[in-house]
Amino acid sequence: MSVRARIIGCGSYLPERILTNAELATMVDTSDEWIVTRTGIRQRHIVAEGEKTSDLGFKAAEKALQHADIKARDIDLVLVATTTPDNTFPATATKVQAMLGMRDGAAFDIQAVCSGFVYGLAVADNFIKAGQARTVLLIGAEVFSCILDWKDRSTCVLFGDGAGAVVVRADGGHREGAPNNAPGILSTHLHSDGTLCDILYVDGGPSSTKTVGHVRMVGREVFRHAVINLAAIVDEALEANGLTRADIDWLVPHQANKRILASTARRLGLPYERIVITIDRHANTSAASIPLALDEAVRDGRIQSGHLILMEAMGGGLTWAAGLVRW
Ligand code: ACO
């Protein structure tokens, strides 16, 4: 008998303030029409003065715990996937842990930029399967607005702030190689190629410039790699489980660009309606975008027990990752 890791609850939080494309057009030389046509983004949420990544993560975590009907004391591992930590150290995960009133268990951050949530899902899955954790709180939280160059129209229009969280718990009693129709995380698949680090990066950091820095991106190159890598990793995940594209009920992707989502759907032969899309309202919230989308589709009833969920993401590094989950 082996243990399977299962998502038993989710939650999310968006800062109150909404920044529309029209407002952005008063700040940089852009237009609502350009942003919507090229990206699908209509607005994004931006933190209030003093609101930090840990604040967003904590609010999403509270909702996930409530949804899972568990207490903070039941958690033995807190993971925060983020590129925008409150401080260089300590880990934002330890700050959220403290906000939850926990003084025990372990907490650390995961840095894989936009792929961070799926990387975190892999860490949670493997800690649980190895028996080193039983209940994991996994949060994707970002205040991306703090690393944007608000004078660079090619990047500042693309991102937003937010947080999403899931509770992953050991579900015992599955036979080795449990059938792929039993609920839980079926598999995770992680990749990176550091030789592509200079097409998407932040031009600062503690050991280089001693500053925080701003996002820099060669948009077209990132787009090209995203379309190729995401299609390949989806097939890798399906093949590993003896499943086909037709078995996917919901694609819950990282929300970088509506055209990337449409292209991935086309390659998969998946109807566009089967993609959970939030980019129009949230923009790209990096590691938070998948748990934000997941929470929305679970709460509005689109995702139902027994559905096959495919999550995929690509981000700076480059990193890319996929996870298959039977709900
Ligand atoms: N408003 C108006 N014009 C703009 C804007 C803007 N906000 N931004 C760029 N332009 C202009 C450019 O200056 C350029 O003008 P030119 O032709 O006179 O030189 C023109 O629009 C076209 O620029 P491109 O960069 O070629 O536009 P493209 O069609 O490639 O769209 C975009 C740009 C939306 C960034 C696209 O390349 C993209 O989405 N790339 C992928 C981004 C992504 O996936 N990021 C995910 C990872 S994020 C992470 O990991 C942190």
Side-chain angles (χ1 to χ4, degrees):
M1 297 291 223
S2 72
V3 167
R4 181 171 275 189
R6 187 175 174 184
I7 298 176
I8 60 163
C10 51
S12 61
Y13 176 77
L14 289 159
E16 269 174 38
R17 184 172 166 234
I18 290 173
L19 179 64
T20 63
N21 290 349
E23 276 177 272
L24 261 177
T26 66
M27 297 158 61
V28 285
D29 182 14
T30 190
S31 65
D32 178 55
E33 198 263 331
W34 191 95
I35 301 172
V36 172
T37 314
R38 302 281 178 134
T39 70
I41 298 166
R42 292 183 183 278
Q43 61 171 50
R44 70 285 296 141
H45 291 251
I46 302 289
V47 287
E49 187 66 37
E51 201 173 18
K52 298 187 293 298
T53 297
S54 59
D55 298 317
L56 310 190
F58 169 64
K59 285 179 176 152
E62 275 190 312
K63 291 184 188 161
L65 293 184
Q66 205 174 29
H67 191 225
D69 196 21
I70 66 160
K71 301 280 179 230
R73 63 173 176 270
D74 299 324
I75 298 163
D76 41 32
L77 177 61
V78 180
L79 301 172
V80 174
T82 189
T83 299
T84 50
D86 292 10
N87 301 82
T88 303
F89 84 82
T92 302
T94 59
K95 299 186 101 179
V96 175
Q97 182 195 26
M99 291 160 98
L100 288 167
M102 295 168 60
R103 303 197 67 178
D104 204 1
F108 59 91
D109 286 359
I110 290 170
Q111 162 59 302
V113 204
C114 298
S115 311
F117 180 79
V118 186
Y119 268 63
L121 201 65
V123 174
D125 187 33
N126 285 307
F127 263 72
I128 286 172
K129 282 185 185 148
Q132 202 170 352
R134 195 179 134 63
T135 309
V136 181
L137 172 63
L138 167 62
I139 301 163
E142 301 279 16
V143 178
F144 234 73
S145 58
C146 71
I147 53 167
L148 294 176
D149 175 352
W150 288 98
K151 293 193 180 80
D152 175 11
R153 67 177 182 174
S154 69
T155 51
C156 77
V157 303
L158 303 175
F159 298 93
D161 303 334
V166 293
V167 177
V168 188
R169 179 164 252 191
D171 190 359
H174 289 288
R175 290 189 188 287
E176 203 67 56
N180 58 34
N181 55 5
I185 299 171
L186 304 187
S187 65
T188 52
H189 305 264
L190 310 183
H191 291 270
S192 64
D193 179 354
T195 66
L196 296 168
C197 62
D198 53 3
I199 64 170
L200 178 55
Y201 65 102
V202 164
D203 62 2
S207 73
S208 53
T209 58
K210 302 175 179 63
T211 61
V212 173
H214 295 121
V215 175
R216 304 295 173 205
M217 178 170 74
V218 187
R220 283 206 172 178
E221 277 298 292
V222 175
F223 194 105
R224 195 170 65 80
H225 285 286
V227 171
I228 297 166
N229 292 339
L230 294 176
I233 204 169
V234 165
D235 284 338
E236 179 186 326
L238 290 169
E239 270 168 35
N241 294 281
L243 294 162
T244 68
R245 296 167 175 200
D247 294 314
I248 301 169
D249 290 299
W250 292 104
L251 178 63
V252 184
H254 168 53
Q255 317 272 324
N257 184 314
K258 202 168 178 177
R259 289 185 295 147
I260 296 177
L261 303 184
S263 162
T264 308
R266 261 197 313 276
R267 282 181 178 230
L268 289 174
L270 195 70
Y272 197 59
E273 305 71 52
R274 289 276 151 189
I275 313 178
V276 180
I277 294 177
T278 56
I279 186 157
D280 51 333
R281 289 156 290 129
H282 302 174
N284 180 346
T285 56
S286 186
S289 83
I290 290 179
L292 270 161
L294 181 73
D295 187 45
E296 184 171 292
V298 167
R299 285 176 194 265
D300 69 19
R302 271 177 288 176
I303 292 179
Q304 296 282 329
S305 174
H307 280 172
L308 185 69
I309 316 297
L310 176 68
M311 304 176 195
E312 45 85 341
M314 195 192 84
L318 293 181
T319 57
W320 62 105
L324 260 181
V325 174
R326 179 69 70 184
W327 202 255

